[in-house]
Amino acid sequence: MNQKKLKRKVNELKNFFKSIRFSTLYKIAGLILLIFTLYMVFTTLNKSKHIGETEDESLNATIIDKGENYLLILDNQKEEYLIEKKTTEDETIGSTIRFSINSIIDGDPKILKTTSIELINTVSNTKNADSEILEYIKKTNRMFSNASENESEIEIRYINILDFLIYNEKLENHTLNDLTSQARIEGLKVVLSLDSNVENFFPGFKEREGNGKYSGIKEKIITNYLNLTSKVCHYDSNTCTESINDFQTMKETFAISWNNIKNWTNDSERLKEWYQIYSGKNN
């Protein structure tokens, strides 16, 4: 009787442990299935987000740069894309376009092949921004032909220009974002000449003005020029080549040495791009 009882208890224990084992396996299997399902849902949703950009659906984006044959746009996810097309005067910086995508070509930035483009909101204030700002800068530089009589006005305009190009303040009712990259690069090139003239005609002015805010401005002008040229070289070959060629003259005229430039950043990738510009190479 005791043996039967013991045997029965042993069998009960076996069944108990078997049930736990199977229950645990079911739980583990269920957990694995849940994780797999969540993974598939996440992957599908994420994939749909990117695939959706290539389907023939209407999307909106803001123009942040333009050239004769391209628009650089920013979508609502803060991603930049390039649309290769003959641009119009009304496709101004800051304007909104609606377009349908046929395909996306990988690159930096990615290139969109579109089936249609519609301008839905034009920002008229930026239409003449390039010409108005460049004329303001060039006129200031021309005033050095009679520097002694124009000293006060030159100093005021010089500070206005630096605050605009380097510190993103308004000039002539424009912001820096209103300019195309081509105009910014041209402006920085002229400002480097303007800065040199200020040094020669009004020594000590930069150190006195703004509690030293402008004393190291030459480095900022050059690094902005190099960074902007590096970016433009990814999508505008004409402006890229012109900017690199111009820099060969600039580095001789304004005594810009690589020994100085290489100490302005610890970013090795940025240094590599800067050196391509400095050396006159465009790989």
Side-chain angles (χ1 to χ4, degrees), residues 45-277:
L45 288 174
N46 195 46
K47 188 176 180 183
S48 297
K49 178 183 172 182
H50 295 292
I51 289 177
E53 295 174 343
T54 67
E55 293 173 351
D56 193 16
E57 59 178 285
S58 293
L59 300 171
N60 292 352
T62 303
I63 300 171
I64 58 172
D65 197 9
K66 65 177 290 188
E68 186 178 346
N69 296 304
Y70 70 85
L71 294 174
L72 187 68
I73 61 173
L74 189 71
D75 71 3
N76 58 8
Q77 300 296 320
K78 304 302 179 184
E79 292 285 341
E80 294 182 4
Y81 295 93
L82 191 71
I83 297 178
E84 296 175 329
K85 69 178 293 290
K86 192 77 174 176
T87 56
T88 68
E89 189 178 82
D90 290 332
E91 290 170 332
T92 56
I93 306 293
S95 297
T96 304
I97 58 171
R98 178 177 293 133
F99 54 93
S100 297
I101 300 173
N102 181 44
S103 62
I104 300 177
I105 300 174
D106 203 18
D108 182 20
K110 293 177 181 178
I111 300 173
L112 301 182
K113 296 297 182 181
T114 58
T115 57
S116 65
I117 297 179
E118 177 190 2
L119 186 64
I120 61 173
N121 177 40
T122 299
V123 178
S124 58
N125 181 55
T126 64
K127 183 175 289 189
N128 300 315
D130 286 6
S131 58
E132 290 174 4
I133 294 298
L134 288 177
E135 176 54 30
Y136 185 97
I137 296 171
K138 291 175 180 179
K139 181 179 178 181
T140 305
N141 212 25
R142 291 195 298 268
M143 293 172 73
F144 279 98
S145 60
N146 197 349
S148 58
E149 288 189 12
N150 295 323
E151 179 176 354
S152 178
E153 186 176 357
I154 288 173
E155 289 177 347
I156 292 172
R157 292 171 72 97
Y158 170 74
I159 294 302
N160 289 343
I161 293 167
L162 291 182
D163 285 344
F164 174 79
L165 281 174
I166 307 300
Y167 298 110
N168 298 322
E169 295 185 16
K170 276 195 170 187
L171 179 64
E172 299 288 271
N173 202 33
H174 293 297
T175 67
L176 189 59
N177 289 336
D178 294 344
L179 301 188
T180 63
S181 292
Q182 186 176 4
R184 292 191 206 185
I185 291 172
E186 176 67 17
L188 288 165
K189 182 179 74 173
V190 179
V191 166
L192 197 57
S193 174
L194 176 59
D195 181 71
S196 178
N197 283 330
V198 168
E199 286 275 7
N200 293 331
F201 284 92
F202 315 130
F205 168 73
K206 291 193 297 184
E207 287 70 26
R208 295 191 304 270
E209 189 68 24
N211 296 319
K213 179 181 177 181
Y214 307 101
S215 58
I217 208 69
K218 181 179 178 181
E219 177 184 330
K220 289 184 173 69
I221 295 170
I222 297 169
T223 54
N224 279 18
Y225 185 98
L226 293 171
N227 286 333
L228 198 49
T229 299
S230 295
K231 180 178 180 179
V232 165
C233 283
H234 288 286
Y235 59 84
D236 187 340
S237 58
N238 291 335
T239 301
C240 173
T241 301
E242 184 179 343
S243 300
I244 290 175
N245 290 340
D246 285 346
F247 195 78
Q248 306 316 300
T249 303
M250 291 160 61
K251 71 182 184 183
E252 299 298 328
T253 304
F254 305 112
I256 305 170
S257 73
W258 180 248
N259 283 335
N260 286 332
I261 290 177
K262 68 181 183 181
N263 293 319
W264 294 346
T265 181
N266 294 319
D267 188 325
S268 59
E269 193 60 35
R270 180 169 292 183
L271 272 177
K272 181 181 176 182
E273 292 182 339
W274 285 3
Y275 186 73
Q276 289 179 349
I277 300 168

